[in-house]
Amino acid sequence: MTSNREIHLASRPQGWPTEDTFRLVETEVPTPGPGQIVVRNQYLSVDPYMRGRMNDVKSYVPPFALDAPLDGAAIGEVVASEAADIAVGTTVLHGLGWREYALLDATAARPVDPSIAPASAYLSVLGMTGLTAYAGLLEVAAMKPGETVFVSAAAGAVGSLVGQIAKLKGAGRVIGSAGSPAKVERLRALGFDAAFDYHDGVRESLRAAAPDGIDVYFDNVGGDHLEAAISAMNLHGRAAICGMIAQYNATEPPAAPRNLALVIGKRLTLRGFLVNDHNDVRAAFVRDVAGWLRDGTLSYDETIVDGIENAPEAFIGLLRGDNLGKMLVKV
């Protein structure tokens, strides 16, 4: 193959991104230099944090450049190698997604074993998504057995794993919010003790699901969900702030939470985190999750969109909440 297709950032969105935010560009398949490899991508990860990188603002990760390919987690097969340690045919995990062929230094790729789990799993339950759920719940929020846990966007890639891990680690009650009746039913099938459609009212639904309050909140949404969680939290409650998707496309300041003063009297802890700060628990994460997958006690969902040309629509769909579990693009 000599043709390589990439998705470039054509413009910086104001509010919601559209198809015009992106551009499909055809280039030549790259040739590796010394110490480099070329990977034929198989799956691309599509994640909410990518919306923030479309803005030209200072953040914990640099913004995407205009008229250049976007990037993100991907997995694929090495098709050309000038590196002694990675042979052609090796399956590797790396960070140059949003293109069919990726040229990178071999040191930036991590070989994985596709015989242990499907390749896509290394972008979801066995990858950054799974570690985010594991570390956020157990390290950041420090969940203890018997506690009540509330998870927002609980049918998404991270949230669905948080709820299951909470149950597996001894939570007394696990509650999830989602965006449709079908997703609510899926949460119940995954073992959540209670689940509700946030369109029915977050504060009221949470109060009904947790009449004795909550001890831990895993936040993927922010806004009214965070406000409701603060009101429902018991003394010394903890919140792991993973994401705030409710305001990623907002053009005005968020209206909520309006009850932050409760943090004082309840002695609450609201702690933001990035998954890369918790690589020290990766070994425990792999051990636990691999065991749960083997014995069938942990499930994961994937929404797979076919074709690099459809990656923009997959991303917009993710922001709309079209996905169940992890949103991926099959290249």
Side-chain angles (χ1 to χ4, degrees):
M1 293 291 292
T2 59
S3 177
N4 176 37
R5 294 184 298 168
E6 306 172 336
I7 301 296
H8 288 207
L9 185 65
S11 62
R12 301 199 183 278
Q14 301 298 314
W16 280 80
T18 67
E19 291 286 344
D20 292 336
T21 303
F22 309 91
R23 182 181 298 118
L24 181 64
V25 176
E26 189 167 312
T27 64
E28 291 187 354
V29 174
T31 300
Q36 293 184 319
I37 58 175
V38 174
V39 180
R40 172 65 165 95
N41 284 329
Q42 297 168 332
Y43 291 94
L44 316 177
S45 178
V46 182
D47 300 290
Y49 82 89
M50 294 173 174
R51 175 60 186 85
R53 295 189 65 193
M54 294 177 185
N55 301 326
D56 189 14
V57 296
K58 185 177 181 180
S59 184
Y60 63 89
V61 62
F64 293 127
L66 286 173
D67 302 313
L70 291 84
D71 59 67
I75 194 165
E77 181 182 349
V78 176
V79 294
S81 176
E82 292 295 332
D85 296 335
I86 299 184
V88 170
T90 304
T91 300
V92 296
L93 189 66
H94 64 92
L96 292 184
W98 293 79
R99 66 204 79 187
E100 292 176 317
Y101 290 87
L103 172 67
L104 62 150
D105 292 338
T107 54
R110 180 162 66 90
V112 298
D113 187 351
S115 69
I116 295 176
S120 61
Y122 288 98
L123 294 175
S124 57
V125 64
L126 288 173
M128 182 181 71
T129 299
L131 182 58
T132 299
Y134 188 94
L137 177 69
L138 302 178
E139 294 291 307
V140 178
M143 188 209 82
K144 304 180 187 69
E147 291 189 319
T148 297
V149 177
F150 171 46
V151 187
S152 57
V158 173
S160 59
L161 297 177
V162 172
Q164 293 181 83
I165 293 170
K167 293 297 290 185
L168 288 164
K169 289 291 188 178
R173 184 169 176 81
V174 177
I175 301 155
S177 71
S180 72
K183 289 183 177 181
V184 167
E185 287 305 310
R186 178 56 180 159
L187 294 181
R188 293 182 176 133
L190 290 174
F192 282 68
D193 297 290
F196 60 85
D197 185 334
Y198 66 79
H199 295 103
D200 296 332
V202 181
R203 185 187 291 259
E204 300 79 6
S205 298
L206 180 58
R207 186 182 298 119
D212 296 323
I214 64 174
D215 305 296
V216 168
Y217 173 46
F218 195 103
D219 190 14
N220 293 303
V221 175
D224 57 349
H225 279 74
L226 179 56
E227 182 175 285
I230 289 171
S231 290
M233 274 187 169
N234 296 322
L235 291 180
H236 304 291
R238 290 93 60 208
I241 312 297
C242 178
M244 293 192 174
I245 197 170
Q247 62 195 62
Y248 288 170
N249 298 303
T251 56
E252 299 292 335
R258 297 161 294 186
N259 57 350
L260 281 175
L262 293 177
V263 171
I264 303 167
K266 292 186 175 186
R267 282 83 93 196
L268 305 181
T269 299
L270 312 182
R271 182 179 169 193
F273 75 101
L274 299 177
V275 64
N276 289 336
D277 293 336
H278 298 276
N279 284 317
D280 58 316
V281 301
R282 183 179 292 276
F285 155 71
V286 171
R287 181 196 65 234
D288 284 349
V289 170
W292 293 329
L293 291 174
R294 277 195 304 271
D295 63 24
T297 55
L298 183 69
S299 300
Y300 64 99
D301 294 314
E302 296 175 337
T303 299
I304 299 177
V305 174
D306 284 322
I308 185 73
E309 69 277 7
N310 294 316
E313 178 55 31
F315 178 71
I316 295 169
L318 172 74
L319 297 178
R320 285 195 304 255
D322 293 350
N323 59 301
L324 184 64
K326 181 68 177 177
M327 179 69 88
L328 298 168
V329 174
K330 185 177 182 180
V331 180

